[in-house]
Amino acid sequence: MVFAKKDVDYSLYLVTDSTMLPPGTTLCSQVEAGLKNGVTLVQIREKDTETKKFIEEALEVQKVCKKYNVPLIINDRIDVAMAIDADGVHVGQDDMPIPMVRKLLGPSKILGWSVGKPSEVETLAKWGPDMVDYVGVGTLFSTLTKKNPKKSPMGPQGAIAVLDALEDFKASWCRTVGIGGLHPDNIQRVICQCVASNGKRSLDGISLVSDIMAAPDACAATKRLRKLLDGIKYQFVDCKLNETFPTAASIQSVICQVSSNRPLVQHMTNKVHQNFGANVTLALGSSPIMSEIESEVSELARIPNSSLLLNTGSVAPIGTLKAAISAYNEVKRPITFDPVGYSATETRLCLNNTLLTCGQFACIKGNCSEILSLAKLNKDKMKGVDASSGKMDVNMLVRATQIVAFQYRTIAVCTGEVDCIVDGTFGGKYKLSSGTAGVTAEDLPCVIIEDGSIPIMGDITASGCSLGSTIASFIGGLDPTGNLFDAVVGAVLLYKSAGKLASTRCQGSGSFHVQLIDALYQLFHENKPEKWSASLRKFK
Ligand SMILES: Cc1ncc(COP(=O)(O)OP(=O)(O)O)c(N)n1
Ligand SMILES: Cc1ncsc1CCOP(=O)(O)O
Ligand SMILES: [Mg+2]
């Protein structure tokens, strides 16, 4: 049987591994359970099996695949593929070169290649459409299934680079599957985030091993995966994600919700910020807890209206930070991420990039340098953890904020004399293959908040970090009917206005600290956004 390449469905691509079979199951029973419930492509990958047994197993699996009219791909072994007339082969960078494999297989068979970086995409593009039919993009996340991996996990950002390269090198024929550590808790985020910058393609499917092969109930496991793949919305927080333009009335409503819900704001933050952040949170009618205890993150996340502020000036062990991200994502409670000093040092760059691949953030906020670096627009290395000096071009700041919002599917906030806020959530919508239907970062809605310069804001500690406390309070206090963008914009507008008010009342930086808390308290409890001094406008 020859499958027309254009008809191959890459959406749920099962790769086998008989070393992880649960008791009472067989290679074929697990494969059939998958095929019955929505697996659309199968690859037999048995790295430690002798040829004779491998052929026997491949023939058995081939029978089952034929029953469901699903193509069978053979991993590594071109000889076995030819011997049993399989539907295709998958090889990696260290296996037989693609042109040789294609010469042996002939033009009609499906040929897959493992790809981890843009230079490999450039090569396949040069070969043209008659060589590689699809690429396995990975390893996305760490996995125990692939022994002695030569590459460290690339995360969704690495996959975006591959998708961008496919578009840049015009390899339009080439399909893509993500692979490596894919499970129900990250698949929607991966499909949402892994979109080419031109919005014209996302992954065509996901490929996995252990989630099905090691499942005691492979039917249920496959059904769960199928439901996620066929879904259209990733509701990563329990509030509204629909596109809005915030108004004084909608911000007033957010404050009413925060007042009434009194959110618990868990701070995982640096020592300098802890005390002031707690007082800012209290001033906003919210309840702070400064906890970095891994064993309690799940309990805290389950408290009604919980909200996590993750400020990577924190000295908590990375395992604790990762556990907190998972715990809050699991219960769809919001996480505000503040990548302090994002690329000031290799250590911070590595820590922040690692955490950025671990979960979905409701809001990512940073100063100009941090956001420019996150967007990979900051040419010179960041200078310390403070916002870089000197004026920044607003258009560049907006562009950087849009890129961060687009790539992380989040509400991105860039703070400075002018604050930029961009909604990159797309309402949580996602779709295999077609990306965002051509909508790019530049098309994302952006609002600008300004109130003239407030130089004294930079003369106190934790002023930027405490905007994080304010955002976390506002989004944590939302009702399920509350709107995420309204809450973030409202928080930034309040904070900017309070800063301006405090600067007119203080005698110096010492009293500015106190006046800022007073101003936040006063403006919050008065709840008259229409009277606040800071202005809010749409960008363009
Ligand atoms: C769909 C898919 N993607 C990637 C791989 C990995 O192939 P490779 O790099 O050759 O590594 P091994 O699988 O041979 O260990 C794959 N098999 N399938
Ligand atoms: C074959 C392969 N190639 C890259 S990761 C991987 C194994 C993926 O297994 P799992 O889905 O269990 O993480
Ligand atoms: Mg291989």
Side-chain angles (χ1 to χ4, degrees):
M1 176 192 305
V2 175
F3 287 88
K5 291 184 182 181
K6 63 177 177 51
D7 297 336
V8 175
D9 178 346
Y10 290 93
S11 60
L12 182 47
Y13 184 172
L14 173 61
V15 178
T16 72
D17 182 336
S18 52
T19 67
M20 59 174 70
L21 295 172
T25 69
T26 66
L27 176 60
C28 281
S29 73
Q30 294 297 76
V31 170
E32 181 145 25
L35 289 167
K36 270 184 185 163
N37 292 284
V39 161
T40 57
L41 189 57
V42 174
Q43 176 190 135
I44 184 163
R45 175 181 183 269
E46 299 296 326
K47 298 293 283 186
D48 307 319
T49 306
E50 296 299 329
T51 302
K52 184 169 183 286
K53 184 159 184 351
F54 187 56
I55 289 177
E56 287 164 1
E57 286 178 345
L59 286 168
E60 277 180 55
V61 171
Q62 187 179 45
K63 270 199 207 100
V64 178
C65 287
K66 284 187 190 293
K67 198 167 130 187
Y68 293 87
N69 195 29
V70 167
L72 174 65
I73 306 294
I74 308 293
N75 181 55
D76 288 353
R77 299 293 301 270
I78 296 87
D79 55 344
V80 172
M82 294 173 75
I84 71 164
D85 191 26
D87 301 295
V89 164
H90 186 94
V91 291
Q93 296 294 319
D94 299 328
D95 295 317
M96 184 186 287
I98 285 285
M100 285 186 183
V101 179
R102 178 54 78 194
K103 191 175 171 190
L104 290 171
L105 281 186
S108 63
K109 298 295 184 182
I110 302 162
L111 180 46
W113 201 31
S114 300
V115 157
K117 52 191 176 189
S119 58
E120 292 159 354
V121 172
E122 186 175 13
T123 304
L124 78 84
K126 280 183 183 147
W127 285 330
D130 299 333
M131 287 288 176
V132 175
D133 297 305
Y134 77 87
V135 290
V137 185
T139 302
L140 287 174
F141 305 111
S142 58
T143 174
L144 297 175
T145 306
K146 184 171 170 62
K147 306 289 180 280
N148 321 312
K150 294 206 173 68
K151 299 175 282 189
S152 54
M154 63 167 58
Q157 295 301 306
I160 291 170
V162 169
L163 294 173
D164 279 347
L166 287 166
E167 290 300 300
D168 294 345
F169 293 116
K170 299 186 177 14
S172 56
W173 71 87
C174 189
R175 308 281 39 94
T176 61
V177 289
I179 188 167
L182 289 171
H183 301 285
D185 67 347
N186 60 28
I187 282 170
Q188 289 180 304
R189 172 164 64 93
V190 163
I191 301 171
C192 258
Q193 292 184 357
C194 298
V195 173
S197 300
N198 67 8
K200 292 183 177 166
R201 67 154 81 213
S202 50
L203 294 171
D204 294 286
I206 57 110
S207 180
L208 44 75
V209 183
S210 52
D211 216 74
I212 294 176
M213 295 307 295
D217 182 347
C219 289
T222 308
K223 279 181 185 151
R224 190 177 175 200
L225 292 164
R226 196 67 256 171
K227 195 168 173 213
L228 294 171
L229 289 165
D230 298 338
I232 52 172
K233 190 161 182 187
Y234 174 32
Q235 189 67 41
F236 57 86
V237 279
D238 49 7
C239 65
K240 295 282 184 210
L241 296 173
N242 50 333
E243 274 183 38
T244 59
F245 181 73
T247 62
S250 67
I251 291 170
Q252 191 173 60
S253 164
V254 167
I255 291 179
C256 289
Q257 294 168 55
V258 176
S259 290
S260 123
N261 293 323
R262 193 173 168 73
L264 177 82
V265 183
Q266 180 178 356
H267 286 62
M268 292 185 136
T269 188
N270 60 74
K271 296 187 181 328
V272 170
H273 170 223
Q274 287 183 6
N275 179 54
F276 191 58
N279 283 307
V280 165
T281 303
L282 287 164
L284 301 171
S286 304
S287 173
I289 178 166
M290 320 320 263
S291 165
E292 298 186 343
I293 303 169
E294 185 168 343
S295 60
E296 70 177 6
V297 288
S298 278
E299 248 178 286
L300 294 175
R302 282 167 171 73
I303 291 172
N305 289 100
S306 63
S307 183
L308 175 66
L309 171 62
L310 187 47
N311 172 307
T312 52
S314 154
V315 288
I318 191 163
T320 303
L321 303 177
K322 285 180 172 181
I325 293 169
S326 297
Y328 278 79
N329 273 179
E330 187 186 349
V331 293
K332 300 186 186 304
R333 292 308 303 161
I335 306 174
T336 302
F337 187 65
D338 187 348
V340 172
Y342 174 67
S343 60
T345 65
E346 281 308 309
T347 304
R348 285 176 184 273
L349 185 64
C350 180
L351 169 68
N352 283 308
N353 281 340
T354 301
L355 294 175
L356 282 163
T357 67
C358 291
Q360 179 62 42
F361 300 102
C363 176
I364 296 176
K365 59 105 18 214
N367 61 35
C368 309
S369 294
E370 289 155 354
I371 295 295
L372 285 165
S373 293
L374 264 169
K376 304 181 185 67
L377 294 182
N378 198 16
K379 299 285 178 284
D380 58 322
K381 204 168 160 52
M382 278 181 55
K383 299 172 188 63
V385 296
D386 300 320
S388 58
S389 57
K391 285 182 95 53
M392 287 278 181
D393 168 39
V394 174
N395 293 302
M396 187 171 173
L397 292 178
V398 168
R399 176 96 186 97
T401 313
Q402 288 174 320
I403 289 170
V404 172
F406 186 87
Q407 292 192 347
Y408 293 98
R409 282 292 177 276
T410 189
I411 309 272
V413 177
C414 179
T415 60
E417 184 169 326
V418 174
D419 295 333
C420 311
I421 309 170
V422 177
D423 182 355
T425 62
F426 283 82
K429 294 188 199 73
Y430 64 91
K431 191 168 170 44
L432 282 174
S433 306
S434 57
T436 53
V439 175
T440 68
E442 289 172 303
D443 305 315
L444 291 177
C446 172
V447 297
I448 298 289
I449 289 176
E450 45 196 333
D451 201 356
S453 69
I454 314 174
I456 199 163
M457 209 52 144
D459 295 340
I460 63 166
T461 55
S463 60
C465 300
S466 298
L467 170 59
S469 305
T470 308
I471 292 170
S473 296
F474 272 50
I475 56 184
L478 285 175
D479 292 330
T481 55
N483 182 281
L484 186 63
F485 195 50
D486 285 347
V488 176
V489 170
V492 178
L493 197 69
L494 169 68
Y495 200 77
K496 179 81 83 182
S497 303
K500 177 62 92 179
L501 182 58
S503 69
T504 64
R505 295 173 167 173
C506 68
Q507 277 74 48
S509 55
S511 54
F512 179 69
H513 242 146
V514 174
Q515 290 296 347
L516 180 55
I517 290 178
D518 275 358
L520 285 165
Y521 182 93
Q522 176 192 334
L523 296 183
F524 179 83
H525 288 87
E526 275 173 1
N527 193 7
K528 291 188 169 58
E530 69 281 4
K531 294 190 181 309
W532 295 349
S533 60
S535 70
L536 164 65
R537 63 183 169 87
K538 264 187 191 170
F539 182 77
K540 282 186 190 164

